[in-house]
């Protein structure tokens, strides 16, 4: 589930999709157009959060209707992580593995929701992200089922900087994924 401006066509989502396909997994991608919706963008924050929650719950309901899966991974970035938390709450996703990309941990309950998810979780956080603070990451690091990977040079947008290209940041995130889950060799 993408972020406000970080959609499924961005490098990290493309790399994740490619890896999941190479692992022989089916893929359901959704994209949000909140940034293109002036009503959403001008709405009070609580209304925006309610919409994100409803959309996440709808996605979770849809996935439930698709049937049972041997393995399930959910990926959410930023506001997509908020939608993913709602999706995880919407049904029987206890065994689903969750990848939380730059979740907004400041002034939200998202950290508690990550910890409450009984399935394995990977949190990908850029060291330049405003939520990358010792006090926000410490509770996540203490949770047995959560692994936190801090990506050097990545900001909240996972954008290129003077020191790191978007390709560098994507490769670092994909290495964190490989360290978190056993990947089958390609080919």
């Amino acid at each position: 589930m993408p972020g406000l401006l970080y959609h499924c066509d961005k490098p990290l989502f493309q790399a994740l999709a490619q890896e999941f396909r190479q692992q022989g997994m089916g893929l359901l991608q959704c994209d949000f157009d909140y940034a293109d919706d002036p009503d959403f963008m001008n709405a009070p924050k609580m209304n925006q959060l309610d919409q994100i929650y409803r959309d996440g719950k709808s996605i979770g309901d849809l996935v439930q209707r698709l049937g049972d899966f041997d393995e399930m991974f959910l990926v959410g970035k930023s506001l997509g992580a908020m939608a993913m938390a709602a999706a995880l709450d919407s049904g029987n996703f206890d065994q689903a593995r969750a990848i939380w990309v730059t979740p907004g941990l400041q002034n939200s309950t998202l950290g508690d929701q990550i910890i409450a998810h009984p399935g394995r979780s990977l949190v990908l956080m850029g060291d330049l992200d405003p939520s990358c603070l010792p006090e926000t990451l410490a509770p996540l690091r203490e949770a047995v089922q959560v692994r936190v990977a801090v990506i050097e040079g990545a900001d909240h947008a996972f954008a290129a900087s003077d020191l790191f290209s978007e390709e560098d940041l994507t490769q670092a995130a994909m290495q964190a994924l490989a360290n978190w889950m056993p990947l089958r060799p390609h080919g």
Side-chain angles (χ1 to χ4, degrees):
M1 294 174 211
L4 184 65
L5 299 173
Y6 199 96
H7 297 278
C8 293
D9 62 346
K10 296 291 189 178
L12 181 54
F13 275 122
Q14 288 294 309
L16 287 166
Q18 179 180 348
E19 183 60 49
F20 289 143
R21 284 186 192 103
Q22 289 176 333
Q23 294 296 316
M25 297 178 194
L27 190 64
L28 170 67
Q29 289 181 307
C30 64
D31 219 337
F32 302 123
D33 61 358
Y34 298 128
D36 298 328
D37 180 353
D39 291 335
F40 177 85
M41 296 302 291
N42 294 319
K45 184 173 182 166
M46 286 307 298
N47 293 25
Q48 291 175 338
L49 295 174
D50 287 344
Q51 181 67 49
I52 293 165
Y53 178 84
R54 285 192 311 273
D55 290 346
K57 186 170 177 353
S58 294
I59 292 166
D61 292 344
L62 170 68
V63 171
Q64 291 287 320
R65 288 192 305 272
L66 293 175
D68 293 329
F69 299 91
D70 294 333
E71 279 186 296
M72 184 180 300
F73 291 83
L74 284 96
V75 181
K77 184 192 178 314
S78 191
L79 71 80
M82 291 186 279
M84 186 172 77
L88 289 169
D89 285 344
S90 71
N92 186 20
F93 290 107
D94 287 355
Q95 297 305 311
R97 293 188 228 176
I99 302 172
W100 309 85
V101 182
T102 66
L105 299 174
Q106 294 177 302
N107 305 315
S108 78
T109 60
L110 194 52
D112 293 335
Q113 292 171 294
I114 293 169
I115 292 167
H117 176 58
R120 291 180 54 214
S121 287
L122 173 64
V123 175
L124 296 173
M125 182 68 71
D127 66 345
L128 302 176
D129 189 301
S131 287
C132 189
L133 302 169
E135 61 270 21
T136 58
L137 296 182
L140 299 175
R141 288 189 162 132
E142 292 171 6
V144 174
Q145 78 283 15
V146 179
R147 177 172 297 163
V148 176
V150 176
I151 309 300
E152 181 183 2
D155 61 7
H156 185 74
F158 252 77
S161 67
D162 292 341
L163 299 176
F164 297 96
S165 69
E166 237 175 337
E167 182 179 324
D168 294 333
L169 300 175
T170 298
Q171 286 177 353
M174 294 306 292
Q175 184 59 54
L177 175 71
N179 293 342
W180 176 65
M181 68 177 260
L183 299 175
R184 294 182 286 277
H186 300 162

